[in-house]
Amino acid sequence: MLFSRSSFFSFILPLFLVTLLSIARVDVVSTAPTKIGQGYSLISVEESPDGGIVGLLQVKQKNNVYGPDIPYLQLYVKHETENRLRVHITDAQKERWEVPYDLIPREKPAALKKAIAWSRKNQNSVLMASSEYESNELIFAFTTDPFSFAVKRKSDGQTLFNSSSDESDPYSPLVFKDQYLEISTKLPQDASLYGLGENTQPHGIKLYPGDPYTLFTTDVAAINLNTDLYGSHPVYMDLRNVNREAFAHAVLLLNSNGMDVFYAGTSLTYKVIGGVLDFYFFSGPTPLDVVDQYTSFIGRPAPMPYWAFGFHQCRWGYHNLSVVEDVVENYQKAKIPLDVIWNDDDHMDGHKDFTLNPVNYPRPKLLAFLEKIHARGMKYVVIIDPGIGVNNSYGVYQRGLAKDVFIKYQGKPFLGQVWPGAVNFPDYLNPKTVDWWIDEIRRFHELVPVDGLWIDMNEVSNFCNGLCTIPKDKQCPSGTGPGWICCLDCKNLTLTNWDDPPYKINASGIKALPGYKTIAMSAVHYKGILEYNAHSLYGFTETIATHTGLQGLEGKRPFILSRSTYVGSGHYAAHWTGDNKGTWEDLRYSISTVLNFGLFGVPMVGSDICGFYPAPTEELCNRWIEVGAFYPFSRDHANFYSPRQELYQWDSVAKSARNALGMRYKLLPHLYTLSYEAHINGAPIARPLFFSFPTITELYGLSTQFLVGSSIMVSPVLEPNKTEVKILFPPGTWYSLFDMTQVIVSEKPHNRTLDAPLNVINAHLYQNAIIPMQQGGLISKEARMTPFSLVVAFQAGATTGEAKGKLFLDDDELPEMKLGNGYSTYIEFYATTGNATVKVWSDVQEGKFALDKGWIIEKITLLGVDTIQGKSFAIEVDGNPISDLSKMEFNKRTSVVVEVKGLELPLGKKFTMSWQMGIIS
């Protein structure tokens, strides 16, 4: 939340730019040559004991640009699965920093000793100039001198990665120094790339040649374009259209050091300031295959509690409990759904973690409030920041100090400043710190029974630079000025290559030193690990510790929202896109960022609805809730200094909210089923249209529309003063989700302009889908117990058709989201039409849970069936015919919409329903 609470005025202080640049040590002109060195030669290679290959690389010609070359490198290559290839390159003689193997579990590369011995005994031996190492799907091909490698997909012969550097190429061959690693790949001109975040991309979801892509977790507000933001995800997906066929693959560089990635359209170059080159190639070939393969490696997305898909309300500036109580009641009065009420740091005593303000949030009154909302089914989430206030009367700090849990500088806890003032930062790489953190969560939960935790400022953020001490002659902070102004006594740290590295990544968009507004890079973690190496893992390690702590409380499924993320964060937490602005541009940017995180394996993601700062216009807030109601994570959040912007503040916004959130709450069973699919195969909840229509190149850069699942398309208004919207419809039949009598039929991709008055969002359901819905409500707990309906969408005008859908139900408090535990049910729905007959049926796995809950299907809506009445109607449940159909109603609403109502089909039992249709003459 740091635009919320630290970089609040960063975008309106251009007069301080010169000072900022001098502090950040900006290199305005780079004197480095375009090409560095002549690369390496592969001087030995052999099969490793684990079935991979291991080789030895020797530098061809040494140079000192960005430091001396590492003379010998180890190459390790292995086909880890049929669709995943690993290429690992590191120093052959010294161990180097890598992402810890316990954070992202994976195999360790085979030892090189045998290959080194082989090379020394065979100095005069000659290797083949090139060779290949293949699996059923991927081929690793290499050239020995200079060494380069290519990865190819065997089924179609496409080259997915090619690290060779020809004389005409502007980039270097392989460069490997202690603090500078460079490697490139050639790309076809028409490749479409996605990923490499986190950043705010003004050109949309598709990577744009020439835009900077810097990866280094940074507390920079999301209003800054093309800048390294809160997360680091060094992965991209490459989508190509070859002879009207679509092929996708992904490339992950598993490295936590800061890096610049230069995308030039026909090439992509990594410039990394440490660590190793640990590449993983995922063969696809569909976008869904890619995220399946990627998340199978980094960790499947975390299961989320059902209530997390309800609507959330937050604000920095709910000064006391009575304000929060009023917010909850006003949502009820306005009949706007609300599941979760949040507190920013207003509930804390002096901004200190795991505390309560005894005046503004007295514990007895807060407990009474929580008892009241919990009885309704609502939930309560609060914020915690990693910085622990240095305060001798503060138990959390004293216990942490006694257990030696803080990051060190020259043997003492590193001192920074965040909201409490002077702080120390927990070292989550230290097992003792994790134990202490878990215990503090337990203590706090005994104080306040929160339902989830929001971990913020964990890039990690620091209001100061360098080595700091607490001033003796002044109060810090003073309590009168902005809390984000550094008031410690500090001096810059530039004496080491860690604090002032030879190559300057484009940190903060200004080539700031990497320690700018964070922990000094020469500070040390557990076992001497440098902050320089582990920096971008900070939020990830805090997330894992927090997940462990919450899960241990009552054995319930945790809910965590984290600002900083890394590869694998989605296995533990949700994410929001940070400090945005209440502008139309930021509304548009939010779609690309949300879609990107689906690719990153973090499907539970959303942006601050209506913008975090400044005050949105009434029209903008209308349009934003219409989009935000379809974010996977849907939350309104505002800044301390902004006017109140809860959805009931404007009558028109309240109307839009009732409409859009009303539909969201009807779709909760579908959203929850999508979260189950995300958990088992990584499929994004919100996704680009090309996921369902990968061969349509017009969709490759489309960033103003998106899909929820595979079949619901959301097409919002993203500009002011508009009452219509231009929509690109892929071929097929599309039914308006809000008025299913409205149908768009398209034979080829085409743009269509539809009406979009202020309180209306265009959302459409695609043919061949079955969507389970319920009746909605103001709280998910109530909505979840209402009867079900099925919407069956056939292709309009077709003589035959089919449709499919899924539904997952479980006890959402259980830690695991799976079948086989007695507390879950999974249903697949099918429908066909042809020969004037319609058939709808289900296949149920483990129906007992749904039966115990008493869930029924009361209505089935058929779309695209041109009929007038039903004949020879028959229903079977678990194979037994149902003879009493007296309550059933057969209604024909229009020529394309038929409703079968009055059903009482037990959701937990298999059913078959069929009838002959009287065709309109």
Side-chain angles (χ1 to χ4, degrees):
M1 186 194 58
L2 188 47
F3 180 56
S4 53
R5 300 180 296 159
S6 71
S7 54
F8 175 60
F9 288 120
S10 63
F11 65 102
I12 60 169
L13 296 178
L15 295 178
F16 289 100
L17 181 59
V18 175
T19 304
L20 179 64
L21 297 182
S22 64
I23 292 173
R25 290 284 304 276
V26 174
D27 291 348
V28 178
V29 179
S30 174
T31 58
T34 303
K35 288 195 173 188
I36 302 173
Q38 297 181 18
Y40 285 76
S41 296
L42 179 65
I43 61 174
S44 75
V45 65
E46 67 178 26
E47 186 174 343
S48 61
D50 62 357
I53 60 172
V54 61
L56 184 65
L57 304 174
Q58 183 177 27
V59 69
K60 289 175 63 67
Q61 184 178 50
K62 295 181 180 180
N63 66 77
N64 288 312
V65 179
Y66 302 133
D69 296 281
I70 293 177
Y72 292 96
L73 302 177
Q74 170 186 295
L75 167 70
Y76 171 73
V77 184
K78 186 179 180 184
H79 293 282
E80 296 190 331
T81 70
E82 288 301 319
N83 48 48
R84 184 175 81 230
L85 171 71
R86 184 184 189 185
V87 178
H88 183 279
I89 302 174
T90 188
D91 190 327
Q93 297 171 304
K94 295 180 181 179
E95 185 176 359
R96 289 181 63 80
W97 163 258
E98 298 187 54
V99 174
Y101 281 75
D102 60 337
L103 293 184
I104 300 180
R106 59 202 190 279
E107 298 178 11
K108 291 192 175 183
L112 183 63
K113 292 179 181 178
K114 188 176 180 181
I116 292 175
W118 186 93
S119 66
R120 287 172 178 166
K121 291 177 182 178
N122 298 274
Q123 292 289 336
N124 298 320
S125 63
V126 178
L127 289 174
M128 294 178 62
S130 63
S131 189
E132 292 185 346
Y133 164 59
E134 63 183 60
S135 69
N136 288 341
E137 184 56 22
L138 289 171
I139 300 171
F140 175 81
F142 61 88
T143 302
T144 58
D145 189 17
F147 169 74
S148 67
F149 71 89
V151 178
K152 303 174 184 178
R153 190 188 290 112
K154 196 172 183 179
S155 59
D156 54 42
Q158 290 189 48
T159 298
L160 312 186
F161 195 93
N162 179 356
S163 73
S164 64
S165 173
D166 303 327
E167 191 172 329
S168 60
D169 291 325
Y171 46 83
S172 308
L174 174 64
V175 180
F176 206 117
K177 301 167 185 285
D178 187 36
Q179 290 182 265
Y180 182 80
L181 288 62
E182 180 180 334
I183 192 169
S184 300
T185 180
K186 301 178 188 294
L187 293 167
Q189 182 74 47
D190 58 352
S192 296
L193 269 59
Y194 310 87
L196 297 178
E198 176 182 11
N199 55 26
T200 300
Q201 299 173 190
H203 295 104
I205 187 174
K206 188 175 172 181
L207 298 189
Y208 193 80
D211 277 358
Y213 297 97
T214 299
L215 281 69
F216 188 71
T217 60
T218 306
D219 178 12
V220 173
I223 63 172
N224 295 279
L225 307 181
N226 291 324
T227 302
D228 48 313
L229 298 180
Y230 316 108
S232 176
H233 295 270
V235 62
Y236 70 86
M237 183 171 72
D238 180 335
L239 177 62
R240 304 174 186 178
N241 192 293
V242 181
N243 298 323
R244 299 183 179 179
E245 285 190 74
F247 301 91
H249 68 273
V251 179
L252 166 67
L253 173 55
L254 189 59
N255 181 301
S256 63
N257 291 83
M259 68 182 75
D260 288 330
V261 185
F262 295 91
Y263 174 46
T266 56
S267 66
L268 185 140
T269 298
Y270 298 89
K271 297 184 178 183
V272 192
I273 60 173
V276 302
L277 297 176
D278 194 4
F279 282 104
Y280 291 83
F281 300 91
F282 305 91
S283 65
T286 71
L288 278 175
D289 289 335
V290 166
V291 291
D292 185 6
Q293 295 156 11
Y294 180 59
T295 56
S296 73
F297 172 64
I298 67 168
R300 297 297 194 190
M304 292 288 157
Y306 199 86
W307 54 263
F309 293 92
F311 184 67
H312 304 243
Q313 177 62 52
C314 185
R315 175 180 171 81
W316 179 33
Y318 287 150
H319 299 293
N320 56 54
L321 180 59
S322 64
V323 176
V324 176
E325 291 173 320
D326 286 344
V327 169
V328 172
E329 294 308 311
N330 284 330
Y331 266 93
Q332 283 207 317
K333 289 177 183 177
K335 298 190 183 306
I336 300 172
L338 178 66
D339 257 73
V340 192
I341 187 71
W342 294 55
N343 262 129
D344 207 310
D345 67 359
D346 303 291
H347 68 285
M348 296 181 182
D349 182 13
H351 306 287
K352 298 190 297 294
D353 283 346
F354 305 120
T355 64
L356 283 181
N357 185 311
V359 175
N360 295 328
Y361 284 82
R363 182 170 182 258
K365 291 185 177 180
L366 179 58
L367 292 179
F369 168 71
L370 294 183
E371 185 178 3
K372 180 180 178 181
I373 66 168
H374 283 155
R376 292 181 185 172
M378 289 185 63
K379 306 296 179 180
Y380 179 58
V381 176
V382 300
I383 197 170
I384 50 175
D385 297 334
I388 302 299
V390 176
N391 186 320
N392 289 332
S393 63
Y394 177 32
V396 176
Y397 170 70
Q398 289 299 318
R399 288 186 291 273
L401 200 62
K403 294 182 179 180
D404 194 24
V405 303
F406 298 116
I407 293 172
K408 303 287 184 58
Y409 185 85
Q410 296 182 345
K412 297 180 181 180
F414 178 83
L415 191 72
Q417 180 187 328
V418 201
W419 299 112
V423 298
N424 295 150
F425 297 100
D427 174 14
Y428 297 102
L429 290 172
N430 187 338
K432 290 193 302 183
T433 305
V434 175
D435 291 341
W436 161 80
W437 189 252
I438 291 170
D439 183 58
E440 295 303 334
I441 290 174
R442 178 192 59 79
R443 290 170 181 265
F444 182 61
H445 193 265
E446 290 176 355
L447 185 73
V448 185
V450 297
D451 300 289
L453 289 175
W454 170 19
I455 51 178
D456 191 14
M457 310 284 285
N458 52 350
E459 294 73 31
V460 66
S461 178
N462 181 3
F463 298 164
C464 300
N465 293 298
L467 183 62
C468 303
T469 58
I470 299 174
K472 297 180 180 179
D473 57 349
K474 63 180 179 181
Q475 181 179 343
C476 173
S478 65
T480 57
W484 55 85
I485 303 299
C486 180
C487 56
L488 301 177
D489 291 337
C490 304
K491 62 179 181 180
N492 286 339
L493 288 174
T494 58
L495 297 178
T496 73
N497 280 346
W498 314 120
D499 297 300
D500 190 4
Y503 175 78
K504 308 297 188 294
I505 61 172
N506 192 31
S508 299
I510 54 173
K511 290 196 173 181
L513 291 180
Y516 176 65
K517 295 290 184 169
T518 189
I519 296 171
M521 295 293 104
S522 52
V524 294
H525 294 252
Y526 181 61
K527 291 186 175 180
I529 295 170
L530 284 168
E531 170 69 11
Y532 181 87
N533 291 320
H535 171 81
S536 289
L537 298 175
Y538 193 89
F540 182 40
T541 55
E542 185 196 18
T543 300
I544 296 172
T546 305
H547 187 275
T548 304
L550 283 178
Q551 195 168 74
L553 289 176
E554 299 172 321
K556 291 183 179 181
R557 189 175 300 175
F559 176 79
I560 301 165
L561 184 74
S562 178
R563 188 170 72 176
S564 185
T565 59
Y566 184 70
V567 174
S569 284
H571 188 55
Y572 304 95
H575 174 65
W576 93 108
T577 64
D579 301 335
N580 57 4
K581 291 174 70 175
T583 67
W584 292 94
E585 292 79 11
D586 282 66
L587 170 59
R588 188 174 70 251
Y589 301 152
S590 75
I591 296 175
S592 295
T593 308
V594 166
L595 297 182
N596 262 329
F597 270 87
L599 303 182
F600 296 152
V602 190
M604 191 61 166
V605 58
S607 290
D608 285 347
I609 292 170
C610 297
F612 184 68
Y613 179 88
T617 64
E618 181 176 349
E619 182 189 12
L620 175 61
C621 205
N622 270 281
R623 295 308 190 186
W624 211 318
I625 185 55
E626 290 169 3
V627 179
F630 292 93
Y631 292 153
F633 172 64
S634 185
R635 184 183 71 159
D636 182 320
H637 181 41
N639 183 282
F640 184 96
Y641 294 94
S642 297
R644 297 282 291 272
Q645 64 181 47
E646 293 85 4
L647 302 180
Y648 54 76
Q649 296 289 345
W650 302 272
D651 289 343
S652 69
V653 176
K655 182 178 179 181
S656 293
R658 285 189 291 268
N659 186 43
L661 290 175
M663 179 58 71
R664 180 186 182 89
Y665 274 61
K666 292 176 182 177
L667 288 170
L668 283 177
H670 181 57
L671 286 171
Y672 194 66
T673 300
L674 292 175
S675 77
Y676 172 69
E677 292 184 352
H679 179 58
I680 61 172
N681 61 32
I685 298 172
R687 58 188 79 163
L689 267 68
F690 65 71
F691 266 66
S692 289
F693 306 94
T695 62
I696 302 176
T697 56
E698 296 96 320
L699 304 178
Y700 286 9
L702 184 63
S703 304
T704 55
Q705 300 168 225
F706 61 96
L707 293 173
V708 177
S710 60
S711 302
I712 294 176
M713 182 174 69
V714 182
S715 308
V717 173
L718 302 173
E719 298 175 274
N721 305 314
K722 298 289 185 181
T723 57
E724 57 185 24
V725 62
K726 186 179 180 181
I727 302 172
L728 178 55
F729 283 95
T733 304
W734 296 89
Y735 300 91
S736 171
L737 198 60
F738 289 88
D739 180 0
M740 295 178 186
T741 65
Q742 302 298 312
V743 188
I744 301 291
V745 179
S746 171
E747 293 184 1
K748 60 182 180 179
H750 80 287
N751 289 296
R752 182 84 170 262
T753 299
L754 297 184
D755 289 338
L758 186 62
N759 303 119
V760 171
I761 182 170
N762 279 279
H764 290 83
L765 174 62
Y766 192 56
Q767 66 185 38
N768 306 333
I770 300 177
I771 302 296
M773 300 175 71
Q774 287 176 281
Q775 294 179 355
L778 298 182
I779 296 175
S780 66
K781 179 182 178 180
E782 297 174 355
R784 198 178 192 196
M785 297 314 299
T786 60
F788 280 78
S789 62
L790 300 180
V791 179
V792 180
F794 291 117
Q795 180 181 356
T799 56
T800 62
E802 63 178 29
K804 297 178 182 179
K806 302 172 184 177
L807 177 62
F808 177 81
L809 305 157
D810 74 346
D811 180 345
D812 66 310
E813 291 193 340
L814 293 178
E816 296 187 65
M817 192 180 204
K818 65 178 185 179
L819 292 171
N821 58 11
Y823 295 95
S824 56
T825 295
Y826 181 70
I827 308 168
E828 293 179 334
F829 299 106
Y830 302 91
T832 58
T833 180
N835 298 320
T837 300
V838 173
K839 181 180 178 182
V840 182
W841 72 98
S842 68
D843 186 13
V844 180
Q845 297 181 48
E846 303 181 29
K848 183 178 183 302
F849 176 73
L851 291 173
D852 290 345
K853 291 292 183 180
W855 282 313
I856 63 166
I857 299 171
E858 72 161 7
K859 182 175 74 171
I860 296 178
T861 301
L862 296 136
L863 308 178
V865 180
D866 193 9
T867 65
I868 189 169
Q869 63 181 355
K871 300 177 181 179
S872 303
F873 196 93
I875 299 178
E876 292 183 355
V877 174
D878 275 353
N880 299 312
I882 303 299
S883 57
D884 184 5
L885 303 177
S886 59
K887 296 181 180 179
M888 192 197 75
E889 298 178 26
F890 189 90
N891 297 325
K892 181 182 181 326
R893 292 177 56 193
T894 69
S895 61
V896 294
V897 180
V898 175
E899 291 181 343
V900 183
K901 302 172 67 176
L903 301 171
E904 294 181 350
L905 300 174
L907 199 57
K909 293 185 177 183
K910 297 180 181 181
F911 75 87
T912 300
M913 186 168 66
S914 63
W915 64 97
Q916 292 183 333
M917 308 301 293
I919 305 300
I920 296 177
S921 57

